[in-house]
Amino acid sequence: MNKSPLFRIGLIVNSYAGLGGSVALKGSDGADTAKRALELGATPKAQLRVGQALKVIQAYSDQIQFVTGAGGLGEDIVRDLGYVCDVIYTPQQSLTSADDTRELAKLLAERDDIDLLLFAGGDGTARDVCAVYPAQRPVLGIPAGVKIHSGVYAISPTAAGKVLEQLILGQLTSVTNADVMDIDEDAFRQGTVRARRYGEMLVPAELRYVQAVKMGGKESDELVLADIAADVIESMDDDTLYVMGSGSTVAFIMEELSLPNTLLGVDVVLAGQVIASDATATQLEKLIDEHQGPVQMIITVIGGQGHIFGRGNQQLSPAVIRRVGKDHIQIVATKAKLQALGQRPLLVDTGEPELDAELSGLMRVTTGYHDEVFVRVESA
């Protein structure tokens, strides 16, 4: 019996992607930011997320060859999972950089036997790949960064694995051009989103598994937001600790409370006062543990994508979510934002499959004053 031909996957892992999320740095672009995140106690998770994707296709390991860089650029996780690996680039230092991503992408572009380029990171990583990799050759991103605005990423690591499985099995999979987007991190840290298109890359057009480009702009008419805010504020009391998530819908609630707000961060409110601004995951855990009363988390939905956890709010870590509990999570969103998802579910991508499964199912979403809808939540 003839063996199936090898499916060759180029792999680039930005080992430090997502470091800034849990420590409220709003991104990890640049070596200085990565070092700062590590000093603040951030734990690299990119390798874990790549592992989640590659475990989906382990049954086909004899049909796959990875072409990648040494150490954390891809070799470590590939060899740990028992795959065949061809190392073609070695970084000069252990703390890899955007330069290493681009150099490895250039070398992979020179080869004509790469069936798909797989990369793990955020929008900065997508930009680096887009800058040097041929636009006519297929790629797919594993989401591991803080900023995921680009349409070249799967909705979760497991979803990326599902797409790879389809390709390895030779199933008909359409491809499409998707935008590579990124924002100004310095402006992002000041609460301003300045998104810019940097190009496009060819990705599998499997809409169940590959995310849409994040929608920007105003999410709703002020009257609808005012109704949502009125409903939330009416139920608030002085004994409950409120963890206020990121996004403009939650920001509107904070504005109605006459409280300062971190648009793209997480704030904590107790007895009508902000007791922590732009809190990190560690700070949130400590505040929740020290609080003697109930805790409530108020979050919203990312427009166009449907994520409620795992995109831009990594401060809401699995440990924080577990401390709060599913029954004490209040989702707020306009009906227009939910309808724009086209009956797709809300998505959770916390990094822990067990927690994602626990959060799945029907959840209530506050869409107005004393107005709620049930929406399906699924693991991405």
Side-chain angles (χ1 to χ4, degrees):
M1 183 176 180
N2 293 329
K3 288 185 67 176
S4 301
L6 282 176
F7 187 85
R8 288 186 175 84
I9 301 173
L11 176 63
I12 302 174
V13 181
N14 177 356
S15 297
Y16 300 100
L19 271 181
S22 65
V23 291
L25 292 181
K26 313 296 190 301
S28 308
D29 291 354
D32 290 343
T33 304
K35 288 178 182 176
R36 175 64 177 151
L38 290 170
E39 290 168 358
L40 290 171
T43 304
K45 295 184 178 179
Q47 300 285 336
L48 173 65
R49 293 177 75 78
V50 174
Q52 289 172 347
L54 300 191
K55 285 177 182 177
V56 176
I57 56 173
Q58 270 191 301
Y60 315 101
S61 61
D62 62 339
Q63 302 173 40
I64 303 168
Q65 180 185 33
F66 284 93
V67 184
T68 187
L73 281 172
E75 178 189 16
D76 288 347
I77 186 63
V78 166
R79 292 202 190 281
D80 283 349
L81 293 175
Y83 288 101
V84 175
C85 175
D86 181 9
V87 176
I88 63 171
Y89 175 77
T90 301
Q92 294 184 353
Q93 52 190 5
S94 58
L95 187 64
T96 56
S97 67
D99 290 336
D100 294 307
T101 296
R102 287 190 289 267
E103 288 303 314
L104 178 52
K106 287 178 185 177
L107 292 175
L108 290 168
E110 293 173 2
R111 297 183 56 139
D112 58 8
D113 60 347
I114 302 298
D115 295 298
L116 177 84
L117 172 57
L118 186 68
F119 58 89
D123 288 329
T125 308
R127 275 180 59 186
D128 292 331
V129 173
C130 181
V132 299
Y133 201 73
Q136 71 274 16
R137 295 174 64 177
V139 304
L140 179 64
I142 298 172
V146 175
K147 303 167 298 164
I148 308 286
H149 288 66
S150 301
V152 298
Y153 283 97
I155 61 174
S156 74
T158 301
K162 294 289 187 181
V163 174
L164 292 173
E165 183 179 39
Q166 289 183 350
L167 294 170
I168 293 165
L169 294 176
Q171 296 177 4
L172 292 178
T173 305
S174 300
V175 291
T176 188
N177 289 313
D179 287 333
V180 174
M181 307 288 291
D182 199 6
I183 60 175
D184 182 330
E185 278 198 7
D186 291 333
F188 190 29
R189 293 185 182 103
Q190 301 303 316
T192 301
V193 180
R194 258 190 242 133
R196 176 181 166 191
R197 181 180 179 277
Y198 285 87
E200 60 183 25
M201 291 193 284
L202 195 67
V203 299
E206 182 49 76
L207 295 181
R208 289 176 299 166
Y209 299 132
V210 181
Q211 73 179 32
V213 172
K214 185 181 185 299
M215 293 169 61
K218 292 276 187 186
E219 23 171 55
S220 173
D221 181 89
E222 277 201 7
L223 290 175
V224 179
L225 291 175
D227 282 348
I228 292 173
D231 184 273
V232 172
I233 293 170
E234 183 181 77
S235 66
M236 296 180 81
D237 61 63
D238 288 348
D239 296 326
T240 300
L241 186 78
Y242 294 94
V243 178
M244 309 297 290
S246 58
S248 55
T249 306
V250 177
F252 193 95
I253 297 170
M254 293 289 281
E255 184 178 336
E256 292 292 284
L257 287 165
S258 298
L259 294 176
N261 170 251
T262 309
L263 175 64
L264 301 166
V266 176
D267 299 319
V268 182
V269 173
L270 179 64
Q273 300 295 322
V274 174
I275 64 169
S277 296
D278 203 10
T280 67
T282 301
Q283 290 171 332
L284 291 171
E285 291 172 30
K286 186 173 184 290
L287 285 168
I288 294 170
D289 288 344
E290 291 175 348
H291 183 63
Q292 299 301 312
V295 180
Q296 185 87 1
M297 182 185 292
I298 299 174
I299 58 173
T300 190
V301 179
I302 292 185
Q305 295 181 11
H307 284 81
I308 55 175
F309 290 118
R311 290 295 183 276
N313 61 0
Q314 282 92 338
Q315 302 96 318
L316 303 179
S317 65
V320 170
I321 295 168
R322 289 187 188 281
R323 280 168 167 79
V324 175
K326 181 178 179 180
D327 291 340
H328 300 284
I329 297 170
Q330 183 174 9
I331 306 170
V332 293
T334 66
K335 288 179 180 176
K337 181 182 279 190
L338 297 176
Q339 289 167 346
L341 295 174
Q343 297 185 326
R344 284 178 287 146
L346 301 184
L347 300 174
V348 288
D349 181 19
T350 66
E352 287 191 7
E354 297 84 2
L355 178 57
D356 289 347
E358 292 170 18
L359 293 169
S360 297
L362 289 178
M363 290 187 73
R364 294 184 299 176
V365 179
T366 301
T367 54
Y369 183 69
H370 292 184
D371 185 13
E372 295 181 324
V373 298
F374 277 107
V375 179
R376 187 165 47 94
V377 175
E378 289 186 2
S379 166

